[in-house]
Structure formats: C-alpha cells, structure tokens
C-alpha cells in the first residue's frame, strides 16, 4: 500500500517496525511504497497519529528553540487551540498560568498536570531548560488524559526531553545576549503643572457642596488656602503656597524648585539577558547518549530582580540485549536570584513598587532637598538622601519611600534540583513488552528576606526571615504492553500500576532587632518572633488499562480505565474509577478517497470520558485540624484551624469531544475542528457558615456544585508557497469558551467573592457590580442605578435623569451582572518565511470579547486625590452645566461615590492583539562551512512580547483569567542576538 510521504525535521517515524528519527530528506530518496507513519507521544507510550482518537497537540523543539524564554510554560502561549495563557510577570524566571479548555474548578487548582519523560513532575517549570526539550504534547480530552485519572481534569502536558542518536557524534554550541525592557506601557498621567489646579478644583467644588450658600469667591479662597497646608503638604514651585493656584489657574510665574519628580526612573531601567548552551550527543548501534550544560542569566527591568540558572543533564539509552533495553537520565539545576515584590499578593502594600511608582502624585520627589537652595541632599558618605515622606498627602504613602525600601530590603532565593528518570524494557516475545519507569525529583529551596531598620515595616529595629523547604516526589510505574496484528486487525493492550509519593518539609524563622549592620543572618537579631516547621505527605496509588483497536487504520476504537486512591480523602471515598471511550473513522482509508490528490487526510473522531481532580489546597481535606504555636508565655495554646467535611471527595470532570482532522494537497494544508463539552461535578466550594459557628474563615469546603465548559476549537496550517529556495507557511488557531454553573446544592444560592458572584445560570467569571449610570449633566454628580429597596424613597440622593431612577450614593446602588471576563474568541496566528539561507517567523496572540476590571485605572481617576497620581482622562471631567461626559466633577465632598469600587464604571474591553514572538535568522551554506570543519552555523535575532494593542494604554488584559488587574510586575520585552554552531 502506498502512502504519501510526510516530511519534517526531527520528527519520530515508524518505518517497517523500527523507530527512527527522520531528517530533512529529499522526497525521492525514500521509496514511495515504504509505509511511513508519524508517531506521537501519548499517555504511557506512543501511537501512530493516524489511529489516534484523542485531542493531542504536539509542539516540536524547532518551534521554540530560538526563543529567549526561561520557562517552557512561555512556549505554551499560542501553541494550541483551547489553551488560555495568563502571562507571567516580568520577574525573571517566572512562569505563566495555564488553563486548558476552560475553568476546571472554582476552589482548587486549574493548572494542568505536567509529565516529564513518562513520570509526573510537580516542580517549577523554570527548573527545566527549554533547550533540553525535544517536544511537548498538550492532551485536552478524556480519551487522551484518562490514564492519568485523578490528576488529569485540567489537561496534561507531556514533556519529552532530547536523546542521542545513532551515528556520528554531534557537538552544538549556542549563545545569545540582549536587552530586557518593559512591554506594557504605563498609563498616561497628568503632569506637575496640571496637577495642582485639578486638586484645587476638587477642594473648591467640595466646599460649595458641603456648605450650601458658599459663594464662588469664598470657595476659591478656601481652596487656595487649603491646597498645600491642608491637603498636598508640598509645593514644588517657587511661589508662596497661597499664590500657587488662584481662581483655578496655576501662577504663570511659578518655576519648579527641582525636577527629579519621576519615581519610576530610579527603579526601572533596561535589564540584560545572556544564555549559553552546549550539548554533545551521539551513539552506536546499541547505545545513545545526550549531555548538555546551560547557563542563563537575566536581570529584569526592575532593579534588584534577576534570575541565574545553571543546568547539567545526561541521558543514556542502551539496548543491552535484544530483549532488554535500559535508560536513565539525570538533571542537576541550580538557580538563584533577587525576587521582586509579588504584586498580586501585595497589591496595596507600601512596599509594592509597581503601585507607588504609578500612583505617586507628580509633585513629590523621592529625594530630600535643601529648603533654601533646593539642591539634592547627600549624606557624609556621598549617598543621596531619600525623602521620608513626612510632607505628603494622605494618598501618597506618607512616611514611606518605596525606592529607598526597595534598595534597602532584600529577598533572595536559591533553588537546587535533581530531576532523575530511569526505565527498563523487557521484550518477552515479539508481541509482549514489560517495562518499568522510575522518577525521583528533589527540590531544595532557601529564601532569605531582610527588612531594613531605617524606613518601612521593620523600622526601627530591622528584621530577617529564613525560609527553607524540601520537596521530594517519587513515581514508580510498571507497564505490560501487548501489541498484535491479525491480518488487517490491530490490537494494543496496556495494563499498568503506578505509585506516587510526595513529601514536603518546611522550616521558617523570623527575628527582629538587628545588632550590627550589613549582616542579615538570624544570629544578628535579638528577638525571636516566629519559629515553625511542618511536614506534609501525600500518596496516590493507581491501576490502569487501555485497549486500542483499528481495522486497516480506518476504523478506530479506544477505551481506558483507571482506579485511583488518594490520601487527601477519607478511606470510604478514597478510591474512584476514571475512564474513557473513543472512536474514529479515517475516511482517507476508504476507497473513494484513497487515491484522491486533493484530500490527503480526513478523519472523524469522538470520545467521552471521566477524569478527576484531587489537587486541593490541603493534603488533609477530610480532617479537621488545629494550629499549634498560639502560646501564652509558658502556657501552650492551640487554635481551631480548619473544619473538614469527612465525606468530601474528588471533583469529577466528564468530557465529550468531537473532532475532524483534515489535510489537503499532500498535506500542504492541514488542520482540525473540534467541539467539546466539559462538565465538572462535585465542585469543591467554600460553603459559608454563620459567625456564631466559631469556624475559621466562616466556611467549610464541600462538594456542592456543577458547571460546564464548552466550546469550539479551530486550527489550520498551510504551506502557501513551497519551492526549493522559497517557502511561506501560515498558521492560526481560534477557540471559543462558554462557562456556566448549573447546580449549587447544600442550601447555597450564591457565593459573592470580590467582583464576581457565583450562581446558577452564570459563569464563575461573570462580574457582579454596582451599576454605573454615568454623570448628571446638570451638576456633574456620579450616578448609579438605584437598588430596588430605595427606588421609591424620596431621599435627596435619589433622582430621576432621562426617565431613569438613579442615585448619587454608591451605598444605594443596584448590583447586577455586568458582563464576563471570558472572551468570545481567543487564539493565535503566525507565519514562517524562508528564502535561501534566510528565515523569518512571527507569532501573534489575540483575544476578542470579555471585560477587564481595571482597578489600576480606577486608582488614577479619583475625584479628590490627596497626593495620588491622576490619569489624563481626568481632564475630561464635568465642569459646566449641560456638559456631556463620563467623568464626574472633581469634588472633595462626593468623591467616595465617584471613586466607588466594585462598579461597572471600571470595566473595559479585554480585546488585545500582541506580537508575542518573532525571529530572524541566517544560516550559512554547508559548502562554505565544510572547509572550516563546521557542519552548521546560524545567526539570529529574536524577541518576545514585542508589541501589543489594547483598549487602553497601560492595560494588561492577559494578566489573569478572571479579568482582574493588579499592581504587578508587568511582562518583559526581551530582544536578543545570538548564534548556533554545530560540529
């Protein structure tokens, strides 16, 4: 039987019963009657692509090898339809958050399971060198994931590392270096000249509102008198305070005393990245080997944020006997760096540099100045003196200085990893193979923080913290694989058992009262504040089986089942079964299409199955626990810590998947269309309890809900032009998602959390907010739709505008659903062009629809800022009766309603398009290099996060799947230049 040849670089093929790795080969060098089947990595093995019935996206190393990325998680962005990536922070070494096919849970993790070389991996993705990865596969439906049972509800990412190849030894070296900068621009904010009159206006309007009958003249005089002494505290112009703003106009004679008013410049600059990779591989007829060492050093664009990583890896595979194959790999990783402040967890903290460099008013300098000459002050050692913040308004972090604190405080991490794998395969007979895989990973983390004694939370004594934890994971599986062919009938049966063990050991110490300078070891501090430790253990046991059948690679059937037991749950509910069935019809194998020159591949497939999720926040969900350490002097103290429901069990994820895979014109055009319906039952929710119950957090976690995620996925890849000297490829994918809660039990009707309300008939990412109506053209008042309870009252803060009952009091505003954070469409598109030795590739990611709750912008739109920065949009404020605008009047008396949070006013479109990655390279001709003993040489320029277009400058809509914004370290733009050389 003839089959069209599929050409690729470094793609695994099955040829005549032997696994080989195809190289870029001319079409006429392989006999056309040789059957060549592409082999794809699947759960606990591999399979011919044409016989697969599951949803499995494969991404080869060549698609991300040239990118300046630190974590393989960054390569997942845009790699497949159905994969939603919330971009990582700008902290070097950070990884993004990944969701596959929607929101898998509400109260527990939605991250996918990662499997490295056949065994589960729970460590940091930054510990895996992307240059050591041969490919990764994204498993999305139950037919692909069910063999991983209770860990597979959120999808699975299979990572396969590089191996050696038989034949001549190969030596490769690559290096790159470049710049790191900010990719998301800052919000536009008013300058120092605009700022004072705006605050004056707010004070003036507030005076007239709070004291009816006040004349405009009196109100103007009051605002002029209060502007500096009563509100802002600082005058950076060379005119008296009472002459700075007169009748709303900045004194035209005013000149700045000093100009160092930029708080971002001292903290944010251009970082630097360098990366070096060296690998050596080869092999004989029986043994192959691959070894590599790598070094990455990246400093972020925020000072005192960096990441340094050393990696070393060795992998050996050996056919010891004709019936026995052994292999092992080991990776050693050392990483360390300065950690920036985690903005999400410290969104409003005084130590958050992203918040305070953004919201600091443009009238304050971070430095101290001579009150007479206005010169910048330096201490006796020649160091600049920082302003302690004693002369700042209430919104300008009085008494703090985020620049000085960032420079003086420390947060250092060191990580050490060992990632090891070993396997053995025993060929019992031509059909039966026994194999075993062992994985052992260990991570040791040491973190040290220092709080300075000069300014900030630890002043005046200073403080030091030491964290240390060790994670160990051990996975051991045993597999029996029986593969047999009876004429045109092909069977493959898998039976396996797997044990998984995880242990976490934690130690923490905190002391205060520094003794001598420049020493942040605990011995140098006087008062022990906290000393604690804990050990967590988690065990899981599983037995599983899979049966695949196909007839002439046309009619395909697959079934799998797994029984899992998890130590997170009580014995009575600890075990459960997870399973899947799938079927496919490969129409290309039928006679009516087998000789078609137009259709080169066409397959219908579908599956249904159930997988689980036990990855809860606690390892002891069924046990009520108590917290030690609440002692009173010598008297011991124990506090109630967690109320458990002993019947709590797995979340069950039931998924239906239907798809069609196609190829046309000898696979010049390939793609797929899929529909999935993913139903999660027994959702774990924090069920509210009355305060009188005396339960921590007033909640108990129970299985009380059901929700679905459903959507369509589209992907296409086309070789538009394919000649000897010129090729042009385009690719694109698109996804839709609808999420809805369909059931809440146990007496629960709704759960309100921040800007969201969970209830039946709505998504868990639907906004529940005060309903903003707009601005009253008559007087500039902020208006909200009035709540039903107040609609028929005659209070002064209730009025009718254009026939609509509204209120100026945010406490009487109506709450209602206000759109969703979930986009209508998201995905990526890209292109790759080669011309002779030149190549250019680019990838864009995009999102259409959905809303972002932009609290960062809200903080810049205060109607009465007392030293905080203001957006330039504030210039569109209401000032004149009859004026139509969406920005209320500046008013120090009514600003609480104008500034009210949890308001639909702060929703903005989440639409975006981003040039996520681009690479330009030039490869030298082999005939030129052969004289130098070099087999390959390529130079390249590559960049990440190069450009984006959003609904508002400063907005970062991709930072969180739930649509919220925070003052965080925005992603970095990285541009590097480098080369690859092979011998």
């Amino acid at each position: 039987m003839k089959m069209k040849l599929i050409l690729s670089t470094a793609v695994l093929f099955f040829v005549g019963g032997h696994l080989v790795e195809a190289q870029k080969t001319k079409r006429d060098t392989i006999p056309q009657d040789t059957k060549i089947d592409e082999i794809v990595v699947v759960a606990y093995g591999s399979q011919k692509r044409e016989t697969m019935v599951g949803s499995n996206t494969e991404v080869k190393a060549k698609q991300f090898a040239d990118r300046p990325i630190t974590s393989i998680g960054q390569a997942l962005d845009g790699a497949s339809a159905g994969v939603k990536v919330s971009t990582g922070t700008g902290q070097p070494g950070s990884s993004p958050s990944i969701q596959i096919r929607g929101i898998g849970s509400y109260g527990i993790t939605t991250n996918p399971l990662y499997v490295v070389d056949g065994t589960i991996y729970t460590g940091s993705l930054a510990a895996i060198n992307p240059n050591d990865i041969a490919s990764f596969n994204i498993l999305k439906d139950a037919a692909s994931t069910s063999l991983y049972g209770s860990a597979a509800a959120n999808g699975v990412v299979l990572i396969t590392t590089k191996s050696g190849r038989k034949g001549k030894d190969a030596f490769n070296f690559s290096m790159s270096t470049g710049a790191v900068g900010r990719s998301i621009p800052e919000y536009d904010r008013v300058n120092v000249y605009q700022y004072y009159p705006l605050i004056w206006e707010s004070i003036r309007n507030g005076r007239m509102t709070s004291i009816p009958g006040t004349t405009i003249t009196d109100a103007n005089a009051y605002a002029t008198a209060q502007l500096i002494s009563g509100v802002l505290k600082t005058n950076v112009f060379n005119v008296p305070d009472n002459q700075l703003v007169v009748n709303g106009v900045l004194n035209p004679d005013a000149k700045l005393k000093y100009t160092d008013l930029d708080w971002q410049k001292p903290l944010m600059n251009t970082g630097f990245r360098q990366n070096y990779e060296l690998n050596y591989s080869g092999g004989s007829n029986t043994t192959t080997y691959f070894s590599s060492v790598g070094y990455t050093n990246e400093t972020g664009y925020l000072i005192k944020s960096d990441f340094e990583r050393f990696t070393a890896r060795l992998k050996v595979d050996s056919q010891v006997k004709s019936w026995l194959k052994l292999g092992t790999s080991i990776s050693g990783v050392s990483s360390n760096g300065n950690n920036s402040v985690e903005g999400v967890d410290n969104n409003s903290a005084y130590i958050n540099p992203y918040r305070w460099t953004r919201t600091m008013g443009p009238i304050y300098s971070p430095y101290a100045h001579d009150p007479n000459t206005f010169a910048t002050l330096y201490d006796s050692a020649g160091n600049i003196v920082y302003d302690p913040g004693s002369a700042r308004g209430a919104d300008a972090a009085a008494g703090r200085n985020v620049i000085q604190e960032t420079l003086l405080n420390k947060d250092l991490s060191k990580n050490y990893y060992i990632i090891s794998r070993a396997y053995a395969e025993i060929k019992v007979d031509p059909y039966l193979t026994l194999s075993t895989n062992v994985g052992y990973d260990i991570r040791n983390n040491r973190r040290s923080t220092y709080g300075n004694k000069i300014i900030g939370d630890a002043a005046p004594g200073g403080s030091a913290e030491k964290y240390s934890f060790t994670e160990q994971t051990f996975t051991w599986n045993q597999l029996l694989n029986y593969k047999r062919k009876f004429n045109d009938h092909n069977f493959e049966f898998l039976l396996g058992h797997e044990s998984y063990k995880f242990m976490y050991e934690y130690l923490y110490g905190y002391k205060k009262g520094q003794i001598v300078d420049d020493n942040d070891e605990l011995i140098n501090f006087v008062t022990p504040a906290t000393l604690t430790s804990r050990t967590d253990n988690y065990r899981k046991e599983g037995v599983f089986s899979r049966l695949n059948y196909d007839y002439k690679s046309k009619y395909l059937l697959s079934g799998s089942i797994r029984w899992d037991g998890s130590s997170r749950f009580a014995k009575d509910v600890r075990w459960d079964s997870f399973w899947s069935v799938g079927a496919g019809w490969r129409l290309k194998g039928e006679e009516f299409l087998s000789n078609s020159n137009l259709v080169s591949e066409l397959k219908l497939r579908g599956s249904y199955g159930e997988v689980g999720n036990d990855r809860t926040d606690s390892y002891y969900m069924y046990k009520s626990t108590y917290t030690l350490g609440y002692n009173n002097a010598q008297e011991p103290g124990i506090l109630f810590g967690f109320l458990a429901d002993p019947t709590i069990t797995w979340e069950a994820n039931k998924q239906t998947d239907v798809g069609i895979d196609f190829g046309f014109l000898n696979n010049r055009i390939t793609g797929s269309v899929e529909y999935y319906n993913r139903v999660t039952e027994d959702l774990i929710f924090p069920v509210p309890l009355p305060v009188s119950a005396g339960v921590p957090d007033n909640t108990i976690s129970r299985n009380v809900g059901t929700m679905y995620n459903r959507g369509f996925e589209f992907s296409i890849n086309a070789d538009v032009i394919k000649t000897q000297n010129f090729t042009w490829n385009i690719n694109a994918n698109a996804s839709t998602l609808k999420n809805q809660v369909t059931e809440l039990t146990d007496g629960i009707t709704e759960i309100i959390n921040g800007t969201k309300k969970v209830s039946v008939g709505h998504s868990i990412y639907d906004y529940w907010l005060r309903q903003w109506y707009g601005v009253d053209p008559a007087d500039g008042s902020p208006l909200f739709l009035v709540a039903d309870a107040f609609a028929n009252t005659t209070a002064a803060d209730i009025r009718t505008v254009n026939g609509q009952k509204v209120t100026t009091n945010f406490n009487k505003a109506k709450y209602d659903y206000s759109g969703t954070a979930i986009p209508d469409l998201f995905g990526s598109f890209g292109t790759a062009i080669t011309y002779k030795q030149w190549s250019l590739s680019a990838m864009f990611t995009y999102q259409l629809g959905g809303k972002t709750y932009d609290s960062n912008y809200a903080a810049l739109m205060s109607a009465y800022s007392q030293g905080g920065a203001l957006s330039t949009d504030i210039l569109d404020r209401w000032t004149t009766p009859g004026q139509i605008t969406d920005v209320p009047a500046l008013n120090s008396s009514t600003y609480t309603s104008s500034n009210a949070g949890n308001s639909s006013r702060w929703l903005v479109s989440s639409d975006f398009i981003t040039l996520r990655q681009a690479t330009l390279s030039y490869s030298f001709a082999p005939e030129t290099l052969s004289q130098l003993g070099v087999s390959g040489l390529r130079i390249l320029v590559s960049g990440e996060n190069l450009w984006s277009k959003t609904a508002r400058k400063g907005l970062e809509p991709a930072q969180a799947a739930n649509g919220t914004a925070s003052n965080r370290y925005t992603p970095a733009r990285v541009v590097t230049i480098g080369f690859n050389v092979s011998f």
Side-chain angles (χ1 to χ4, degrees):
M1 183 178 71
K2 294 185 179 180
M3 181 177 177
K4 301 274 192 306
L5 179 63
I6 302 174
L7 294 177
S8 183
T9 301
V11 177
L12 295 176
F13 292 93
F14 211 83
V15 184
H18 299 284
L19 197 65
V20 300
E21 192 164 329
Q23 302 302 299
K24 192 172 182 180
T25 310
K26 291 184 178 179
R27 184 180 301 273
D28 57 5
T29 61
I30 298 179
Q32 293 299 298
D33 60 352
T34 301
K35 179 176 174 62
I36 300 179
D37 296 320
E38 186 179 353
I39 301 299
V40 177
V41 178
V42 298
Y44 299 102
S46 58
Q47 187 177 353
K48 292 192 298 182
R49 179 177 290 280
E50 66 181 23
T51 64
M52 285 173 42
V53 297
S55 183
N56 183 324
T57 300
E58 186 170 44
V59 179
K60 292 295 187 180
K62 65 178 181 179
Q63 294 173 249
F64 56 84
D66 296 329
R67 297 175 59 179
I69 58 176
T70 304
S71 165
I72 191 61
Q74 295 167 273
L76 290 169
D77 195 3
S80 172
V83 178
K84 187 77 165 59
V85 175
S86 298
T87 53
T89 70
Q91 169 66 39
S94 67
S95 295
S97 175
I98 311 295
Q99 287 185 348
I100 298 176
R101 288 189 167 177
I103 310 137
S105 180
Y106 176 79
I108 61 179
T109 183
T110 59
N111 294 326
L113 173 71
Y114 294 93
V115 177
V116 177
D117 289 337
T119 59
I120 294 171
Y121 178 75
T122 59
S124 169
L125 293 181
I128 304 175
N129 186 348
N131 289 283
D132 286 338
I133 295 174
S135 66
F136 63 83
N137 294 69
I138 304 171
L139 313 185
K140 297 185 286 186
D141 69 332
S144 299
T145 64
S146 61
L147 278 191
Y148 292 106
S150 62
N154 298 313
V156 180
V157 178
L158 306 178
I159 298 174
T160 304
T161 60
K162 292 178 180 178
S163 301
R165 293 182 293 175
K166 298 176 182 179
K168 191 175 181 180
D169 291 354
F171 178 89
N172 300 284
F173 174 74
S174 64
M175 71 156 290
S176 63
T177 185
V180 178
R182 182 171 180 166
S183 67
I184 305 295
E186 188 54 86
Y187 294 85
D188 287 328
R189 294 158 299 167
V190 301
N191 60 37
V192 62
Y193 299 97
Q194 298 166 313
Y195 189 78
Y196 283 109
L198 291 169
I199 309 307
W200 181 96
E201 182 180 322
S202 181
I203 300 170
R204 189 272 310 273
N205 291 344
R207 184 70 170 179
M208 297 180 70
T209 301
S210 62
I211 304 179
T214 302
T215 66
I216 188 71
T217 301
D218 289 343
N220 287 353
Y222 177 82
T224 297
Q226 290 293 311
L227 179 63
I228 303 301
S229 62
V231 179
L232 299 179
K233 312 298 183 184
T234 292
N235 177 4
V236 294
F237 287 98
N238 64 345
V239 296
D241 295 352
N242 61 0
Q243 298 178 26
L244 180 59
V245 178
V246 179
N247 295 328
V249 178
L250 184 71
N251 190 324
D253 296 325
K255 306 294 182 185
L256 286 173
K257 301 173 186 177
Y258 39 83
T259 59
D260 50 2
L261 305 174
D262 189 341
W263 286 68
Q264 289 189 345
K265 187 176 180 180
L267 287 178
M268 299 180 186
N269 47 38
T270 301
F272 181 72
R273 176 186 168 88
Q274 52 184 325
N275 189 76
Y276 305 91
E277 304 287 342
L278 177 67
N279 66 66
Y280 177 70
S281 62
S284 64
N285 289 330
T286 58
T287 302
T288 61
Y289 47 85
F290 178 91
S291 62
S292 70
V293 292
Y295 174 74
T296 300
N297 190 324
E298 182 176 322
T299 57
Y301 65 84
L302 179 75
I303 62 171
K304 297 188 71 175
S305 67
D306 53 60
F307 176 76
E308 183 179 41
R309 181 181 62 197
F310 300 86
T311 63
R313 182 171 175 271
L314 176 64
K315 185 175 185 180
V316 179
D317 302 278
S318 181
Q319 191 74 49
V320 180
K321 300 288 185 180
S322 60
W323 52 270
L324 176 63
K325 185 176 182 180
L326 302 174
T328 186
S329 68
I330 185 168
S331 297
V333 182
S334 171
S335 67
N336 60 82
N338 284 281
N339 302 313
S340 60
V341 172
E342 173 50 62
V344 176
D345 296 336
N346 299 276
N347 190 46
S348 300
Y350 286 113
I351 59 172
N352 185 325
Y354 331 111
R355 172 182 172 85
W356 292 107
T357 58
R358 171 178 296 136
T359 62
M360 184 63 69
I363 63 173
Y364 302 113
S365 170
Y367 310 114
H369 295 84
D370 186 284
N372 298 313
T373 67
F374 315 128
T376 305
L377 297 180
Y378 294 84
D379 62 19
S380 58
N383 300 311
I384 197 166
V385 177
Y386 289 90
D387 173 53
S390 57
R392 292 198 218 123
D395 295 338
R400 305 295 290 261
N401 190 306
V402 72
I403 297 175
Q404 185 180 20
E405 293 181 53
T406 299
L407 292 170
L408 292 177
N409 294 341
K410 297 179 182 179
D411 189 345
L412 306 172
S413 287
K414 296 181 179 180
N415 288 277
Y416 306 95
Y417 303 83
I418 296 293
I419 305 170
S420 59
R421 301 288 184 268
Y423 73 89
E425 291 182 1
I426 301 174
K427 196 78 171 177
V428 178
D429 62 34
Y431 314 111
L432 180 63
T433 302
L434 301 178
S435 61
T436 183
N437 298 274
V438 177
Y440 175 72
D441 301 335
I442 183 170
R443 174 189 183 185
N444 183 264
N445 171 276
R446 298 179 183 178
R447 182 181 175 192
S448 302
T449 71
Y450 168 69
N452 80 88
K453 62 182 183 180
I454 298 174
I455 186 172
D457 297 323
S463 67
E465 296 173 295
K466 299 289 183 181
Y467 306 74
S468 177
F469 69 79
T470 300
E471 290 180 344
Q472 298 180 73
T473 59
F474 178 79
T475 308
W476 182 28
N477 60 50
Q478 308 87 43
L479 308 174
L480 181 152
N481 196 290
Y482 184 78
K483 188 180 295 186
R484 191 72 184 265
K485 181 175 183 178
F486 300 95
N487 298 321
D488 293 325
H489 301 272
N490 299 287
F491 295 87
E492 182 179 0
F493 174 74
L494 173 70
L495 179 65
H497 166 263
E498 186 169 69
S499 298
Y500 174 78
K501 179 170 68 173
F502 173 84
M503 184 169 70
Y504 178 83
E505 299 169 286
Y506 174 80
L507 177 66
Y508 171 74
Y510 173 49
K511 293 182 73 176
K512 298 185 291 185
Q514 188 173 5
I515 302 170
V516 299
D517 293 340
D518 301 324
N519 184 334
D520 52 13
E521 296 296 334
L522 292 180
I523 193 67
N524 188 43
F525 292 79
V526 177
T527 308
T530 305
L531 181 61
T532 187
S533 64
R534 79 172 190 269
T535 300
D536 291 317
N537 290 279
Y538 169 49
R539 303 286 187 275
K540 191 161 66 174
E541 202 81 14
V543 179
F544 51 90
S545 181
R546 176 176 61 204
L547 177 63
N548 290 335
Y549 164 79
D550 73 83
Y551 174 70
K552 290 186 176 182
S553 294
K554 288 193 300 183
Y555 310 119
L556 319 171
L557 292 173
S558 179
S560 63
I561 189 169
R562 176 165 178 148
W563 291 269
D564 262 344
S566 171
S567 65
R568 295 182 192 261
F569 305 122
K571 292 182 179 180
D572 294 341
V573 293
R574 180 165 294 169
W575 288 87
D576 208 344
S577 60
F578 307 96
W579 55 275
S580 73
V581 292
W585 177 23
R586 188 167 172 270
L587 285 77
K588 178 60 181 176
E590 300 289 356
E591 290 186 7
F592 60 84
L593 281 180
S594 60
N595 295 319
S596 172
N597 293 323
L598 173 64
V599 180
S600 46
E601 182 58 58
L602 188 61
K603 180 172 66 176
L604 301 176
R605 52 181 170 81
S607 67
Y608 177 82
E610 179 178 333
V611 291
N613 190 354
D614 72 333
R615 291 188 286 169
T616 58
D617 293 334
S618 171
Y619 295 106
Y620 319 101
M621 287 296 293
Y622 65 99
K623 290 184 178 181
S624 294
T625 57
Y626 296 82
T627 305
L628 299 168
Y630 288 88
N631 307 322
N632 182 14
Q634 301 303 312
E635 296 297 325
I638 300 175
L639 198 64
F640 190 14
F642 176 76
L643 178 64
D645 175 3
T647 65
I648 196 167
T649 187
W650 321 82
E651 290 188 346
N653 198 290
K654 300 178 179 180
Q655 187 170 158
T656 302
D657 183 82
V658 179
I660 179 170
D661 301 325
F662 58 84
F664 300 105
L665 303 175
N666 198 26
N667 283 335
R668 288 277 294 270
I669 302 173
T670 60
S672 65
V673 179
E674 294 184 69
Y675 170 78
Y676 67 89
N677 183 27
R678 177 185 177 195
V679 179
T680 304
E681 298 180 348
D682 294 325
L683 280 165
I684 297 176
F685 276 97
V687 179
L689 294 176
V691 176
S692 58
V695 174
D697 299 325
N698 301 315
T699 62
I700 181 172
S701 293
R702 287 179 173 151
N703 301 102
V704 297
T706 301
M707 73 175 177
Y708 68 72
N709 295 275
R710 58 180 61 150
F712 290 91
E713 298 173 356
F714 310 89
S715 63
I716 190 167
N717 185 86
D719 292 324
V720 181
I721 300 174
K722 193 173 184 180
T723 66
Q724 183 175 356
N725 289 326
F726 183 72
T727 65
W728 178 27
N729 171 272
I730 57 174
N731 61 84
N733 66 66
S735 306
T736 68
L737 171 63
K738 181 175 177 57
N739 169 268
Q740 188 176 112
V741 176
T742 58
E743 181 183 15
L744 289 174
T745 60
D746 207 31
I748 299 173
T749 58
E750 61 183 35
I751 297 175
I752 298 176
N753 183 14
T755 59
K756 313 295 188 305
K757 183 171 84 166
V758 179
S759 66
V760 172
H762 292 276
S763 166
I764 64 172
Y765 286 167
D766 282 356
Y767 292 103
W768 178 254
L769 300 169
R770 293 183 177 94
Q771 296 303 291
W772 174 254
Y773 181 77
V775 177
D776 193 332
D779 60 5
S781 295
L783 301 177
F784 299 87
L785 295 181
V786 66
D788 293 342
F790 304 101
N792 296 319
T793 63
T794 57
D797 53 15
I798 306 294
R799 61 180 70 172
T800 300
V801 176
N802 296 328
Q804 177 68 55
K805 274 291 184 83
V806 293
T807 178
T808 60
N809 185 346
F810 72 100
N811 289 314
K812 296 182 179 180
K814 177 182 180 181
Y815 272 85
D816 204 349
Y817 282 103
S818 309
T820 181
I822 298 175
D824 299 321
L825 191 72
F826 64 93
S828 70
F829 60 92
T831 187
I833 300 171
T834 65
Y835 175 68
K836 296 185 178 179
Q837 281 78 49
W838 290 95
S839 65
L840 172 67
S841 64
M843 180 182 71
F844 294 81
T845 57
Y846 67 89
Q847 176 173 300
L848 300 174
K851 301 286 187 180
T852 295
Y853 184 81
D854 195 358
S855 56
N856 294 341
Y857 175 74
L860 299 174
M861 290 295 290
S862 174
Y864 177 40
S865 178
Q866 301 172 66
L870 292 171
S871 167
T872 53
D873 288 349
I874 210 76
L875 300 175
D876 295 327
R877 71 208 178 279
W878 181 95
T879 57
T880 307
Q883 179 183 351
I884 303 300
T885 180
D886 59 354
V887 182
L890 301 182
N891 193 307
S892 60
S893 294
T894 63
Y895 74 98
T896 52
S897 282
S898 297
N899 299 353
N902 283 18
S903 165
S904 59
R905 178 187 178 190
W906 309 120
L907 290 177
V908 64
S909 171
S910 291
D911 293 359
F912 75 84
I913 182 171
T914 297
L915 177 54
R916 183 67 66 202
Q917 184 274 332
T919 300
L920 174 66
S921 67
Y922 178 82
S923 300
F924 289 86
E927 53 271 20
T928 304
L929 300 173
S930 59
Q931 304 173 10
L932 305 174
V934 177
S935 59
L937 175 61
R938 192 160 61 100
I939 57 175
L940 56 96
V941 177
S942 187
E944 296 284 315
N945 299 322
L946 296 173
W947 169 84
S948 64
K949 176 65 175 176
T950 61
R952 172 183 293 143
K953 183 181 178 182
L955 180 67
E956 188 192 350
Q959 71 170 277
N962 66 0
T964 57
S966 61
N967 294 290
R968 73 166 194 159
Y969 196 166
T970 54
R973 175 184 294 117
V974 182
V975 179
T976 62
I977 184 171
F979 69 87
N980 305 325
V981 60
S982 303
F983 299 92

